[in-house]
């Protein structure tokens, strides 16, 4: 798949910051931060859709456990973690 989950994001990371970070692995079609609907607060995670599966795989291989704004992020294919439903 081309949809990649990014977890452990700092609250100061916005969609532009996530897109710029993900772009290190390849062309980004769309980046989205997940927000709590009730509180309006940043949930510390988001997803990125890459232009190709190769870029998505490269993001997982190269960006997982890397630091973004002082936090080590988790990068994995959307829907791979059984504790989290696919978006």
């Amino acid at each position: 798949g081309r949809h990649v989950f990014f977890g452990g994001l700092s609250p100061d990371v916005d969609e532009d910051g996530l897109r710029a970070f993900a772009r290190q692995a390849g062309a980004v079609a769309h980046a989205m931060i997940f927000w709590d609907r009730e509180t309006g607060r940043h949930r510390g995670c988001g997803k990125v859709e890459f232009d190709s599966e190769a870029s998505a795989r490269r993001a997982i291989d190269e960006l997982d456990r890397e630091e973004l704004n002082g936090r080590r992020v988790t990068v994995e294919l959307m829907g791979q973690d059984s504790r989290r439903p696919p978006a």
Side-chain angles (χ1 to χ4, degrees), residues 1-69:
R2 299 177 315 162
H3 296 263
V4 177
F5 174 84
F6 284 73
L9 301 177
S10 169
D12 61 341
V13 173
D14 61 11
E15 289 175 355
D16 289 337
L18 177 59
R19 185 178 298 108
F21 181 70
R23 201 175 289 133
Q24 297 175 76
V28 171
H30 183 72
M32 182 175 111
I33 296 288
F34 296 137
W35 298 88
D36 185 302
R37 285 193 185 115
E38 291 183 20
T39 65
R41 296 177 68 175
H42 192 294
R43 291 180 60 192
C45 55
K47 77 173 179 178
V48 172
E49 179 184 356
F50 287 92
D51 282 351
S52 70
E53 288 190 24
S55 292
R57 281 193 301 274
R58 193 164 34 255
I60 294 163
D61 291 343
E62 296 178 6
L63 301 178
D64 185 43
R65 311 290 296 151
E66 289 298 311
E67 204 168 280
L68 174 61
N69 290 27

